[in-house]
Amino acid sequence: MEQRDFAVLVVGAGASGLGAAVRLGQAGVDDLAVLEKASELGGTWRDNTYPGCACDVPSALYSYSFAPNPEWTRAFAGQAEIKAYLRETASRFGVTPKIRYGVEVTRAQWNARAARWELETSRGPYTARILVAGTGPWHEPLIPDLPGLGTFPGEVFHSARWNHGYDLAGKRVAVIGTGASAVQFVPEIVPDVERLHLFQRTAQWVLPKPDHHVPGVERVLLRRFPLLQNALRRVEYGAMETLGFGFRHPWLLRQVQRLGLAHLRLAVRDPLLRRKLTPDYTLGCKRLLMSNTYYRALTKSTVDVHTTAVSSVSGNRVVGADGSVAEVDAIIFGTGFHILDMPVSARVFDGDGRSLDDHWKGSPSAYRGTTVVGFPNLYLLLGPSLGTGHTSAFMILEAQLRHTVAAVTRTLRSDWASVSVRPEAQATFNAEVQAALPGTVYQSGGCSSYYTDVNGRNSFSWPFSTSRLRSQVGSFEEADYEITPAQVTGRECLGGLEPS
């Protein structure tokens, strides 16, 4: 019989879920499985296969600290290399056999009487003492509900669900959205299409990308001398933290804007087009973008930049809010993801049957971005109020994993039935975050971004330094939690750990 009850279940086999499985395994938690709805691992780096897909954080920093990779072939790794890195890491640390593919979690509810999470999945029920949600915020594509889109006669897809079977050669294409994905794929498809109509609601700050091929001799040195790779990671961390200081002191970022404006002037000679592409807010207020080819691609005679949102689709015409019209054969959305309304929040329920969505009411909130009042033994990875505009998601993730692993191992060793964050601890943490945000570029930069939820609250951003995040978020403080001892103890409850 297939095992269905575990000490720990991890949902998602992307970077977050794999990292959790590795760290928990290293801490001695053997009674663990990873549930993955797809047929292979990789998460974001499995789903996003659009042309030009690559990391916008230096490769040495965009990786687990416990699994450095000396084999990156570029300073900013591409999608295929990152996916291969995750696959190799899972194999190297013995996680691959623990992954159950094709298992989509449709509902997870806490059973207080049994002190278990009860999961409904596409492959039947599962139960666990502890649930770790590694689904992440860059998961479910966001497609605007445009009038007439359903009757568009041509091809429609989102960048995260790229249709490689559709030949763009000689086609008239509308690209809606100018975020991180569009900045990467637009330069790749411009040479192929007959005409490209870019609908830009807001101009983006785009800085030059210091990307380059990593020579073989450099990779050999990094492989033979791990200290060199550690030093490279520290240098890149320091550089990103220097930039991050400006996010908390926006006047400094206005100096960095000069670099962005110079980059724009060098690439775009046409003053009219340059005005269209010049942002009217402080750099960093929206996600920071980097590209050496995006601006040049927009100067091609086959590209039209429409500085407007899209209001509707009528037949094969995309209609802008300013009345402009583009007749096209295909529509590609580069409109990002459900960041603050993550699908997982509608599938996870407390003991009374109320979902995370019901609790949050449009404004996600958690203690140190990781645990939520009313949801015992649940740990969210890359949760609310931890996003930064400058550093690697792996930095955030590993801080949370220290917190999570400490909590999980204490629970199993001490045979606690449940661990639930105290309401006052969560309230204090979030009050501190919200009080600090107005001084950051996220709030004072003069833009509208996905950092702000439907209630007008910034539920995404971390307003302090990364060192504070690593220290504060990475710490499991028992006093901030309500601990419920188990009524019955036994070796079967210990998840492979010896009792203390």
Side-chain angles (χ1 to χ4, degrees):
M1 293 290 291
E2 183 182 52
Q3 183 179 352
R4 292 281 177 160
D5 181 65
F6 293 86
V8 182
L9 279 174
V10 177
V11 181
S16 299
L18 296 175
V22 170
R23 283 312 210 190
L24 287 166
Q26 290 176 327
V29 181
D30 299 320
D31 189 12
L32 174 149
V34 180
L35 305 183
E36 170 54 56
K37 69 177 184 179
S39 59
E40 59 178 334
L41 59 76
T44 294
W45 299 104
R46 174 198 62 230
D47 295 340
N48 286 268
T49 61
Y50 59 81
C53 182
C55 188
D56 53 10
V57 173
S59 306
L61 203 58
Y62 197 81
S63 52
Y64 304 111
S65 64
F66 55 82
N69 179 24
E71 307 301 335
W72 299 120
T73 62
R74 299 203 65 84
F76 291 76
Q79 174 265 338
E81 275 196 281
I82 297 173
K83 180 182 170 185
Y85 165 74
L86 294 174
R87 185 171 57 245
E88 189 277 332
T89 301
S91 175
R92 173 180 164 194
F93 288 93
V95 171
T96 305
K98 297 180 181 295
I99 304 174
R100 299 194 175 188
Y101 293 108
V103 182
E104 180 176 3
V105 176
T106 56
R107 182 184 179 93
Q109 181 162 353
W110 174 250
N111 183 327
R113 183 182 295 275
R116 281 287 192 280
W117 279 98
E118 298 177 341
L119 280 65
E120 298 174 10
T121 81
S122 57
R123 297 289 181 89
Y126 283 82
T127 55
R129 292 182 67 178
I130 297 163
L131 186 64
V132 180
T135 51
W138 297 281
H139 172 62
E140 192 68 25
L142 175 63
I143 298 180
D145 184 16
L146 297 175
L149 180 62
T151 59
F152 178 69
E155 186 68 24
V156 179
F157 55 88
H158 189 280
S159 61
R161 302 290 185 268
W162 197 271
N163 184 357
H164 292 277
Y166 181 74
D167 188 2
L168 290 170
K171 301 296 195 303
R172 300 166 300 172
V173 178
V175 172
I176 301 175
T178 54
S181 300
V183 163
Q184 293 184 341
F185 75 72
V186 164
E188 298 293 322
I189 67 174
V190 162
D192 298 326
V193 303
E194 176 185 305
R195 191 149 208 94
L196 187 141
H197 295 272
L198 180 69
F199 285 86
Q200 170 194 276
R201 186 170 57 180
T202 308
Q204 301 280 2
W205 283 105
V206 182
L207 297 180
K209 189 172 186 177
D211 191 19
H212 61 272
H213 174 73
V214 179
V217 64
E218 182 177 333
R219 298 201 298 274
V220 169
L221 289 172
L222 293 174
R223 194 182 311 128
R224 291 184 178 177
F225 304 102
L227 287 177
L228 286 178
Q229 189 163 13
N230 185 52
L232 176 61
R233 184 181 176 94
R234 288 178 178 276
V235 168
E236 291 180 347
Y237 173 78
M240 301 304 274
E241 283 307 288
T242 300
L243 180 62
F245 185 79
F247 281 69
R248 304 187 300 278
H249 302 84
W251 65 271
L252 288 172
L253 290 178
R254 296 187 186 101
Q255 312 310 311
V256 181
Q257 287 179 186
R258 297 178 181 178
L259 176 61
L261 292 173
H263 182 47
L264 176 59
R265 280 196 303 271
L266 287 172
V268 181
R269 298 297 185 181
D270 177 11
L272 178 59
L273 178 58
R274 196 162 59 235
R275 279 197 297 273
K276 289 182 177 182
L277 300 175
T278 301
D280 61 358
Y281 55 89
T282 304
L283 180 146
C285 184
K286 287 178 174 286
R287 181 173 173 177
L288 187 61
L289 307 179
M290 291 187 290
S291 174
N292 300 324
T293 57
Y294 178 66
Y295 283 147
R296 289 204 303 271
L298 300 186
T299 65
K300 303 300 182 184
S301 60
T302 54
V303 176
D304 293 309
V305 177
H306 304 264
T307 56
T308 179
V310 173
S311 62
S312 64
V313 177
S314 177
N316 70 336
R317 300 184 305 162
V318 177
V319 183
D322 63 353
S324 60
V325 173
E327 293 190 3
V328 297
D329 306 301
I331 299 174
I332 303 175
F333 287 99
T335 43
F337 301 87
H338 287 272
I339 300 292
L340 297 176
D341 56 340
M342 295 176 286
V344 68
S345 60
R347 302 185 183 191
V348 177
F349 296 80
D350 66 13
D352 296 323
R354 298 176 64 217
S355 69
L356 279 168
D357 273 348
D358 294 332
H359 280 256
W360 287 342
K361 294 181 172 58
S363 292
S365 175
Y367 169 68
R368 299 185 178 180
T370 307
T371 52
V372 182
V373 171
F375 292 81
N377 295 8
L378 171 69
Y379 300 90
L380 302 176
L381 300 180
L382 299 182
S385 298
L386 297 182
T388 70
H390 65 281
T391 196
S392 168
F394 280 80
M395 292 289 176
I396 303 167
L397 171 63
E398 291 201 39
Q400 286 190 281
L401 290 181
R402 288 195 298 274
H403 186 131
T404 298
V405 170
V408 169
T409 53
R410 286 295 305 276
T411 298
L412 298 177
R413 286 180 176 140
S414 303
D415 201 18
W416 295 334
S418 66
V419 178
S420 184
V421 65
R422 297 180 183 276
E424 58 271 23
Q426 181 172 315
T428 298
F429 169 79
N430 284 284
E432 290 175 351
V433 168
Q434 293 301 315
L437 278 168
T440 67
V441 73
Y442 311 119
Q443 297 293 93
S444 63
C447 75
S448 173
S449 74
Y450 67 71
Y451 304 149
T452 304
D453 61 37
V454 294
N455 298 317
R457 177 179 182 268
N458 186 329
S459 300
F460 180 85
S461 302
W462 173 257
F464 308 113
S465 68
T466 305
S467 60
R468 175 167 172 172
L469 186 152
R470 295 169 70 186
S471 172
Q472 187 174 1
V473 174
S475 174
F476 170 66
E477 298 178 21
E478 188 177 326
D480 288 336
Y481 287 87
E482 296 175 356
I483 311 297
T484 303
Q487 296 300 313
V488 179
T489 61
R491 284 295 300 275
E492 72 276 10
C493 296
L494 298 177
L497 293 168
E498 293 295 333
S500 58

